[in-house]
Amino acid sequence: MKHYQNTVVRARDVLAAPFSSNLLPLIIQGIIVGLVTGLIVSIFRWIIDQTLKLLTIIYPLMAANWLLLIPYLALTIIIIFVLGKILKGHLTDLVGSGVPQIEAILLGQHSMNAMQTLWRKFIGGLLAICTGLFLGREGPCIQMGACVGQEVADLCHTPEEDRHFLLGCGVAAGLSAAFSAPLAGVLFLLEEITFNFKPRSWVTALAAACASDFVTLIFFGTKPCLYLPIMVNLPKRSYAWLIPLGIIIGVLAFAYQYCLLSLRWLYSKVPALPAIYHSAIPLILVIPIGLWNAHILGGSHVFINDIANMSPKLDWSNLLFMLGLFFVIRFVFSMVSYGASVPGGIFMPILALGALIGAFVAVLLIHQHLLPAACYVNMVVITMAAYFGAIEEAPFTAVTLLCEMVGTVDQALPMVVLTFVAYVTSNLLGGQPIYAALRREMRFPKHS
């Protein structure tokens, strides 16, 4: 029988020598990516916010004076042709959110011209989103961040094995700046794109996300971008409703995925209209929606705030009808907008639909005396997380994003429970991570 002598190991025999880590140069590059991305995205956000406010003034004026529709239609036609010129020759890089393209790049299935994609995504995204299409700002922000990461890697002659880390830094920084949510930006990168929790991945991404969020604080202040104060916690007896509600949300999430992945096929049935001019369909159809109610236009965090500030004590039958109508309009037109080969994301449209589901269920439960009226906002918040998490198949990102966006972690437990049930339900029905499915639909070459 062998006997082993116990040895006492000193700290200097275990720890690395000071300043021997090779992380610092990559962290510095990540911070540069974050600062540049934060500046670009902040300007992008500010223009969108101001333009959507302007639409709430323009559309009532046109509704009161129909002659004003003539110059607006002329402007819309100009935008359609300008978008077509921007997309021409770069459609694969610019269509949609840009996240499937980034995944394809990281898998070695695709490449992009960073500077060309950056300015075209910036202008194209503004033209599509600022006209009121039901598109989110986060998709273009993520792709623009990735473009910055790629460009910084080129300028700094970053070693080939580290170039993808800087691309990931741009992804995290872009989402962080879009929603002022640095942790969600990093989690989105790890949970849905790289599936890599190595320090070189998350440390550099966190540095970039914090740097980009710092820039947005200068532009927009410290208030969360979707601040929804929750006054009371959901009572224990209401937790019983989370299971059936999660199942319903999971079914609706699968329906969203199914419809979204059918869009390219449906638009292909309009052969007379080239793909670069598909924007004509939603840009024309959005006008009657704006004339009816301009506040419903856009991604939109303003619309979500309007839903959260509704009083559930109003005539509940009319309120349920209105919420249901809003849901149908936003669901259908989100599909029409995203499928039109234009730059734009789906995060905010998904969150808006989740808010409508929560408001509908909350009003129903409140008027059946199954939920306190003070918990109306609670339901709006937790259903946003659940619907987003089930569609994206990214529950950790969903919960973290909503906690950062609304400025509270008080409802983390019901949010986690509801998101988990919705995620499992959608997955059992055949749901897939949405961006991976969109990447396969775009038919990039198979990864060898």
Side-chain angles (χ1 to χ4, degrees):
M1 188 175 188
K2 294 182 179 180
H3 295 277
Y4 294 93
Q5 182 179 1
N6 291 328
T7 57
V8 179
V9 179
R10 294 174 297 180
R12 71 182 188 184
D13 297 325
V14 177
L15 300 177
F19 304 106
S20 64
S21 172
N22 58 359
L23 269 178
L24 186 58
L26 202 57
I27 290 174
I28 292 172
Q29 292 175 39
I31 291 172
I32 294 170
V33 172
L35 292 174
V36 176
T37 300
L39 179 61
I40 294 170
V41 170
S42 294
I43 296 170
F44 190 76
R45 276 180 60 177
W46 184 86
I47 294 173
I48 290 172
D49 290 346
Q50 300 309 309
T51 309
L52 290 179
K53 287 179 185 176
L54 187 61
L55 288 183
T56 62
I57 299 172
I58 292 173
Y59 269 105
L61 289 176
M62 291 193 296
N65 185 352
W66 290 88
L67 288 176
L68 293 176
L69 274 172
I70 297 173
Y72 193 84
L73 281 169
L75 178 62
T76 299
I77 293 170
I78 292 171
I79 289 173
I80 291 168
F81 280 100
V82 172
L83 261 174
K85 291 294 183 182
I86 290 173
L87 294 171
K88 189 175 182 180
H90 300 269
L91 189 62
T92 301
D93 285 331
L94 300 176
V95 65
S97 67
V99 177
Q101 292 90 324
I102 296 167
E103 289 185 348
I105 291 170
L106 293 174
L107 289 171
Q109 301 171 354
H110 186 55
S111 61
M112 68 177 176
N113 183 315
M115 292 307 294
Q116 284 287 329
T117 302
L118 178 58
W119 78 260
R120 290 174 185 272
K121 196 78 174 189
F122 186 93
I123 297 176
L126 288 178
L127 290 175
I129 298 170
C130 290
T131 51
L133 299 189
F134 292 4
L135 297 168
R137 67 193 181 213
E138 72 296 321
C141 295
I142 290 170
Q143 191 174 17
M144 288 189 293
C147 290
V148 173
Q150 182 174 309
E151 195 64 22
V152 169
D154 289 339
L155 292 173
C156 295
H157 305 289
T158 303
E160 192 62 35
E161 63 270 18
D162 288 339
R163 292 177 63 85
H164 283 177
F165 290 128
L166 289 185
L167 200 74
C169 285
V171 170
L175 184 56
S176 171
F179 291 137
S180 299
L183 289 178
V186 176
L187 275 177
F188 173 76
L189 171 70
L190 303 178
E191 185 178 25
E192 194 155 357
I193 295 182
T194 65
F195 311 105
N196 180 0
F197 206 76
K198 293 179 180 177
R200 290 183 77 80
S201 179
W202 70 260
V203 170
T204 53
L206 185 59
C210 290
S212 68
D213 190 40
F214 173 76
V215 177
T216 63
L217 293 182
I218 297 173
F219 274 79
F220 305 106
T222 58
K223 186 177 181 180
C225 75
L226 191 64
Y227 181 59
L228 297 175
I230 293 177
M231 303 303 177
V232 297
N233 289 334
L234 203 68
K236 289 183 289 185
R237 60 186 175 85
S238 299
Y239 277 56
W241 294 102
L242 297 180
I243 305 301
L245 177 57
I247 294 172
I248 293 170
I249 292 175
V251 173
L252 291 173
F254 178 76
Y256 188 96
Q257 284 198 356
Y258 188 90
C259 293
L260 194 72
L261 293 169
S262 302
L263 293 174
R264 287 170 62 88
W265 179 83
L266 289 172
Y267 268 93
S268 71
K269 298 302 179 183
V270 192
L273 191 63
I276 59 173
Y277 296 121
H278 279 171
S279 61
I281 296 173
L283 285 174
I284 297 299
L285 292 178
V286 77
I287 293 175
I289 297 175
L291 292 171
W292 173 64
N293 186 344
H295 292 275
I296 199 175
L297 301 179
S300 147
H301 66 283
V302 174
F303 178 71
I304 294 173
N305 271 306
D306 290 343
I307 295 299
N309 290 326
M310 284 182 176
S311 173
K313 297 179 180 179
L314 298 175
D315 182 352
W316 73 287
S317 57
N318 287 335
L319 189 55
L320 288 177
F321 174 79
M322 182 179 67
L323 291 170
L325 181 62
F326 280 161
F327 183 87
V328 171
I329 292 172
R330 288 204 63 92
F331 188 95
V332 172
F333 205 70
S334 292
M335 299 297 158
V336 174
S337 298
Y338 193 78
S341 299
V342 295
I346 56 174
F347 279 24
M348 284 305 292
I350 290 172
L351 293 176
L353 289 170
L356 286 167
I357 295 170
F360 187 96
V361 172
V363 170
L364 194 61
L365 293 178
I366 288 168
H367 283 272
Q368 297 301 318
H369 306 292
L370 298 173
L371 182 75
C375 291
Y376 171 78
V377 176
N378 303 51
M379 293 299 291
V380 171
V381 170
I382 66 175
T383 50
M384 279 195 286
Y387 197 53
F388 177 89
I391 291 173
E392 297 283 339
E393 296 226 341
F396 291 97
T397 301
V399 172
T400 306
L401 178 64
L402 262 296
C403 287
E404 288 186 290
M405 285 180 71
V406 304
T408 180
V409 295
D410 285 350
Q411 292 300 276
L413 178 58
M415 199 183 296
V416 169
V417 172
L418 190 64
T419 303
F420 176 77
V421 175
Y423 165 78
V424 170
T425 302
S426 176
N427 189 267
L428 288 174
L429 291 173
Q432 296 292 312
I434 191 63
Y435 287 123
L438 286 168
R439 188 188 76 247
R440 290 192 293 271
E441 185 195 38
M442 293 178 75
R443 301 185 186 279
F444 291 109
K446 290 183 179 180
H447 182 49
S448 57

